[in-house]
Amino acid sequence: MNILGVETSCDETSAAIISDDQVLSSIISSQQVHSKFGGVVPELASRAHVRLIVPIVQEALQSSGFKMDKLDGLAVTYGPGLVGALLVGVNFIKGLALVLDKPFIGVNHIEGHIYGNLLTQDSFDFPVIFLIVSGGHTQIVLMRDHLEYEIIGKTRDDAVGEAFDKAAKMLGMGYPGGPEIDKLASKGDPKFFKFPRARLKDAEFDFSYSGLKTALLTYLNNTHEAIVKDHLPDICASYQTAAVEVLIEKTLKAAQRYNANYVGIAGGVAANSLLRSWLKAECEKNNLQIFLPELEFCTDNAAMIARAGREYLNRNIQSGQMLNAYPSLKLGQNNY
Ligand code: KG4
Ligand code: ZN
């Protein structure tokens, strides 16, 4: 099945062509316009998507060597995300589907991240426990089958990606902060400072990152600037370890509780080197198989949307021209 995927939920304009499990092209344009604001400016994101969507789709088609009439279907992110940004992709795909007379499907962005991981897995059995770690989400999801999601835990406040981005901002680094903290942390001492771990005993699969963020702010307020400057890698390593440790503990516990032999991670923070190596080691110790997504499919991309779309289109499930954008769409909530 040949599918064009489009993703415009935040600040990446992306298009991809997949043929069954093979990614024939994956074009991602990360909008630079936001970096000077230290975060994504929704109106600027929408305008950039409008400018970029046609050339990015053309480039994806060209580099795949595919003509549009060879497509079997189209897939687009319809939520969650910034409403103005989502609408660009949704309306583009609705128009293209109408002109080409092809089926299309709206895909949940988080579901896309899950299938971005499964894109490169050959064979596995359900149930699978997925740890979703992105800029807006931190969830543990139980999948008993394709397209079936049970959220068994989630963050009560900040997402872990947000905790990385806010820490980077406090430490005077650029946006997004996760990759920069990851890089600096590799040269630091994770035992330099003991940041809190929110274990939330009353809700064993839930997370909280607001305390960690506040602890960093308090530490910075009470510490001389020169010390902070000298120990930046140590601070990053200590903070990162606190953020990741809870993710590992709760994911392993969830796999045990639900008898899952397979554990996957998905979303931008799945690119974090400590999370990847630590979870891999713990899974090996516990006889669990770990699915680590390819780095290029961790952060936002359209190949993951096309791959998730394939699961629907294969089952003859498709959207109609009434498809809308849903900024707060929940995983498992089907408004397609
Ligand atoms: O999935 P994603 O691209 O966008 C959302 O759907 O939110 O995730 C972006 C998040 C940002 O918070 C970014 O800082 C984080 O992923 N991120 C990382 C790393 N690479 C991206 N966080 C920690 N370590 C990384 N290597
Ligand atoms: Zn994402």
Side-chain angles (χ1 to χ4, degrees):
M1 205 174 211
N2 306 319
I3 297 179
L4 163 69
V6 160
E7 153 67 39
T8 64
S9 67
C10 191
D11 58 341
E12 263 89 26
T13 316
S14 178
I17 309 283
I18 66 162
S19 179
D20 295 329
D21 269 340
Q22 234 189 321
V23 180
L24 300 184
S25 65
S26 168
I27 310 295
I28 304 168
S29 169
S30 297
Q31 304 170 359
Q32 297 307 317
V33 61
H34 310 286
S35 59
K36 60 175 179 285
F37 299 101
V40 178
V41 184
E43 183 54 26
L44 293 180
S46 313
R47 291 184 203 185
H49 287 308
V50 169
R51 266 197 317 275
L52 289 165
I53 187 80
V54 172
I56 293 288
V57 169
Q58 276 173 335
E59 201 180 329
L61 281 162
Q62 246 160 33
S63 67
S64 71
F66 244 69
K67 293 271 181 294
M68 281 207 266
D69 58 352
K70 290 266 166 45
L71 292 172
D72 298 303
L74 319 173
V76 63
T77 309
Y78 76 115
L82 303 169
V83 69
L86 289 164
L87 278 170
V88 177
V90 167
N91 286 320
F92 176 84
I93 284 295
K94 285 204 291 194
L96 191 60
L98 198 62
V99 170
L100 297 175
D101 195 21
K102 306 271 184 197
F104 74 102
I105 181 76
V107 169
N108 181 306
H109 180 78
I110 299 302
E111 169 173 54
H113 275 300
I114 289 175
Y115 278 92
N117 177 315
L118 296 178
L119 193 53
T120 45
Q121 310 306 330
D122 293 335
S123 65
F124 61 91
D125 296 314
F126 290 102
V128 180
I129 285 289
F130 258 101
L131 172 68
I132 313 291
V133 277
S134 74
H137 291 76
T138 305
Q139 296 176 336
I140 298 182
V141 174
L142 169 66
M143 276 182 86
R144 296 186 200 272
D145 204 343
H146 279 294
L147 307 181
E148 281 183 20
Y149 315 99
E150 194 181 322
I151 299 169
I152 59 168
K154 58 181 187 313
T155 183
R156 294 177 170 186
D157 38 60
D158 289 354
V160 63
E162 211 174 339
F164 274 111
D165 294 338
K166 286 179 177 167
K169 200 169 182 178
M170 285 186 236
L171 294 167
M173 301 170 178
Y175 176 87
E180 295 205 27
I181 292 190
D182 190 357
K183 216 185 302 162
L184 266 189
S186 65
K187 295 178 238 154
D189 173 10
K191 294 205 171 75
F192 175 73
F193 187 81
K194 181 95 179 152
F195 284 107
R197 277 85 165 144
R199 294 202 161 84
L200 305 177
K201 294 262 166 15
D202 58 321
E204 54 184 342
F205 299 125
D206 278 357
F207 301 95
S208 168
Y209 280 102
S210 60
L212 175 61
K213 183 185 65 184
T214 309
L216 175 62
L217 186 63
T218 309
Y219 170 80
L220 294 176
N221 285 340
N222 295 335
T223 311
H224 200 283
E225 248 177 69
I227 297 179
V228 172
K229 207 170 152 209
D230 278 356
H231 288 281
L232 210 48
D234 301 325
I235 298 167
C236 287
S238 302
Y239 187 90
Q240 177 176 263
T241 304
V244 168
E245 187 170 310
V246 190
L247 296 174
I248 308 256
E249 280 176 13
K250 297 201 177 218
T251 305
L252 290 176
K253 203 186 262 183
Q256 221 169 34
R257 176 70 49 85
Y258 291 94
N259 290 320
N261 291 322
Y262 297 88
V263 170
I265 53 175
V269 185
N272 183 267
S273 52
L274 179 69
L275 175 60
R276 293 172 79 93
S277 59
W278 196 350
L279 190 58
K280 185 165 183 275
E282 288 298 324
C283 282
E284 278 165 9
K285 251 192 254 170
N286 290 281
N287 283 326
L288 296 167
Q289 195 167 330
I290 171 100
F291 294 164
L292 294 174
E294 300 286 321
L295 286 180
E296 64 178 309
F297 301 128
C298 285
T299 43
D300 292 351
N301 66 88
M304 67 185 198
I305 303 301
R307 174 64 187 81
R310 202 190 92 197
E311 289 298 328
Y312 286 100
L313 295 170
N314 254 336
R315 292 168 174 77
N316 282 323
I317 303 171
Q318 48 181 286
S319 299
Q321 285 292 327
M322 295 302 282
L323 180 72
N324 206 345
Y326 294 90
S328 309
L329 188 69
K330 305 272 178 296
L331 188 63
Q333 175 191 350
N334 293 328
N335 295 350
Y336 50 72

